[in-house]
Each structure stands twice: as structure tokens, then as C-alpha cells.
Amino acid sequence: MLLNNNPQLDTQRLSAKVRQRLDGLDEAPPWRGETLWQQSLEGQVVNLGSTRQCQLGRATDYASLLALPTPAFVEESCYYLLGQLPEYSQYHEHLATLLSGEEREKWLLSLAKQRDASQAALSTALPGLEKGLARARIKYLPKLGRVIRQAWSLLKLDDFRRRMQHFIHLQNARYDALLELHRQQAQTLAELQAAQGRLAAENAILTQRLSQQGAPTASAATSSSASHQVAASQQSLVMEDTEATPERDFYLALEARFRGSLSSIGELMKEHLPHLANTPPLHHGKALLDLGCGRGEWLALVEAEGYRAWGVDLNETNVKITRGRGLDVRYQDALTALAECDDDSLGMITSFHLIEHLSHQQLRTLLREALRALAPEGRLLLETPNPQNLLVGSCNFYLDPTHVRPIPPDFLQFLAEYSGFEHADIMPLHPVDPSLRLPDEGETSRRLNHYLYGPQDYAMLAVKAATTPPMDTEETHG
């Protein structure tokens, strides 16, 4: 915008330049539209052509012409083959033909026939256009063209096969890299778990010895003569315990290393507390029996909820330590304890990581005896390692040499229902820490995460019917 008061604008100099430029121009060329306009005034029908504005020159050769969007392809094809833009009706007719599935090269051949029929002389040529049309004519010959198209399809198929082989090679390389990363992570995790287990085992042994030595030391304050007897008995107890520890406390140390501390296991077991509230016999005063109670983590949680509970275990050290915590624990075999229970006498039976130590016949005996001893609507809760996790089923399961075999969850569910329980539910538990999982960016990562970093344990919750059906009379085998 020009301002009169603009101090930077020299209007006189600008006017001189305009006059100089006008003086140097020739007469303006005639405008074709003026002639057409005059003819239309005389009553003649005049085709004024397309009023659309378009930007030509987007195609630089035959290949780029074929790659244009459909509207631009129609405009530039008509321009280079016919020498003019299509009329409005022709433009939309061409668009409809191409959008209906007509191949572009075949459509170009139809335009070329129109050009040859009109014998129009074009002022602008597109590089590679005539060669491309010649190839298209050969391609669409009635018989030879079909052969050429089939050969071309085979060549494209071979190229596709090479590209797929390259893609598979890249995927295999990525899979090998992921496996190597997983191996390194598993090795690091195993080293950390081993270090944690050693510390936990040492702590458990020290705690046990201190608890054994604490009572004599407290009673030593009663008299000076009794203190010598207590000191002597304490020394003999320590010597006896030192000699017996390698065998008697082997499983205690193994469990402390690979299972975890009392507090960590207790936190994990809290996920089963809602099952207590859903077990009617417990609310009617029936007791809970924990088979293979170990260090008593589950018994302590149950009693804290206000239910009666007792457990059995075959590890003397575990029994002694658990009794010291004020829990009702007996040194007894699990199957023997079940056999001594009266019919319909228990509200709930639980077992954590015990059934993988049993043979098949012992497991079936446990299920039958549990069904007999449970009161109607009582629950049986069994937790065991999950072999569907490949690391658990192929490696971690065998960290305990007393394990017999992994138990697939579907088989345990079938066995419970076959033994007479009304129904049994499987609950996957304890997936690997999400920070150790692979980035979930594709199908390969999702499958590896599912089979390697999925739930490490599972639990089965079976319910005894309100009206107990006849039990399996199969003979019990130890």
C-alpha cells in the first residue's frame, strides 16, 4: 500500500520508471477471447473451453505421469496427448472411467488413438511417453499381451520372494538379538537371586540359633549355680546343632535362597485372603488346614483375619520356628493328616507349592481325602509353579531337587473335577517384573513376553458341592 506521507518513497522517480517501461512496450498481442466474445454476440454458439485453472508440468517423464493422483493424471495426459485440457464433461467422464478400475496405461492407449485420429501436432512432448505407449501396446495385444502380462507377474512374484527373504533374514537377526538380550538379563537376574538367597539363608540360620540360645540365657539369671548348667547345655546344643545343620537345614537354606523372605512371601499370599470371606464353613467355625505350611506365612495371615487354622509340615526346623511364633503346627505328613480328619470337618484346605513334590497317585489321594474332609461348600486352594512359563517349566522348576514334575493347569483342573469337586477355577499368579519384559512393539515381542515373562505360578480354587456326590472308590496308593 502506497502512503503519501511515506518519507522513503520517491513518487517522481517511480513515475519516471513507469513511463519509461510503457514507452518500451510493443503493441499488446490480440486476445482470442475477444473474437469469441464478438461471435457470441452475433448469436453463434461458441465453445469457450474449460474455465478450470490447473498447474501443469508436475510430470517430468512417463513414469512420473503414471504416479500422479488421478485428477492431475487426467489433466496432464490430455495435455500431452491431445494438446489441450479436457472439457468439463469429458474430465468427469475420464475420472469415472479410471475410478471404476480401468488401468492407466490402457486408458492412455485410448487417448493415443484419439490423437492419431485427429493428427494433431503437439508443441510439447513428455520424455519417455512414446516408448511407454509402445510397451503398453505390446502388453495389451490380444494373445501376446496375456503372455507378457503373465511373465511380468512372475517377475514381480520373484522380486516379492526376494524381498520377503530379506525381510525374514532381518526378522531372524532381530529375534537372535532379543534372545541374546534375554539370556543376559536372565543371567543377571540369576546372579542377583543367588546373592539374595545366600543372604536370606545366612540370616535364617543365625535367627534360628539365636532363638535356640535365647531361652537358656534368660533362665541363667535365676542363680549362679544354674548358670553353669545352662551354659554347658547351651554349648552342647550349639555343637549338636552345628553337626546336624548340613542335612537337617538343607531345605531351609534352599527355600530361603530361592523362595524369598517371610515378609515378601506373606505379602504375596495376601492375594488369597478374599477366598476366606467366600468360604461359608469358615464363618460357621470350621478350621482351615494348611498342608506343608513351611514357615507359617499363610497361617499367620489366616489367624490375623480371625479364623481358626492349623498346619502340618515334615521339616523339623520349620515346625520348631513356626511353633515359636505361637502358631498351631504339627510335625506330620500331609496325606496322613488328611486321612485322620473326620468327614466334613474342615472349612478350607490350602497348600502352597506342595503338590509338585507328590507322585500322581499321591496327588489323586490328596484330592479324594480333601473332598471327604471338607464340609459342604468348603474350598480347596492349591498353588504350584506354572509350566506354561517356559523359564519356569524348563529351568526354575528344577532348582528344588525334591520336585517330581510340573503340573499343567488344565490337567489339575480336570483332576479336581474328576475327583468330585463341583468346579475348579485356575488363577495365573506372579508375572515377571514388567521392567524385565521386552518392548511390546510386534508379534515376536508379544509372544516372547507371554511365554518367557508371563505368570510364574498359578492357583486352583476348587469348591465342594453343598450336596456331596459319591466319591471315587479307587484304592489309595502312597
Side-chain angles (χ1 to χ4, degrees), residues 81-82 90 94 109-120:
L81 285 171
L82 303 178
Q90 292 177 346
H94 293 325
L109 289 177
S110 65
L111 284 187
K113 290 181 180 179
Q114 297 179 25
R115 179 196 64 180
D116 297 340
S118 64
Q119 297 181 353

Side-chain angles (χ1 to χ4, degrees), residues 199-210:
L199 292 175
E202 294 173 0
N203 183 52
I205 293 174
L206 291 175
T207 302
Q208 174 195 349
R209 291 182 179 177
L210 288 175

Side-chain angles (χ1 to χ4, degrees), residues 410-459:
D410 291 340
F411 173 74
L412 184 59
Q413 183 183 41
F414 159 78
L415 199 57
E417 294 174 350
Y418 177 80
S419 300
F421 285 91
E422 185 176 23
H423 61 81
D425 296 326
I426 298 297
M427 300 171 290
L429 302 172
H430 315 143
V432 177
D433 191 321
S435 62
L436 301 177
R437 294 169 64 89
L438 300 173
D440 196 2
E441 298 176 350
E443 185 64 22
T444 301
S445 298
R446 285 193 290 271
R447 292 194 178 189
L448 285 175
N449 285 329
H450 175 73
Y451 290 113
L452 299 177
Y453 301 111
Q456 302 173 91
D457 304 305
Y458 74 90

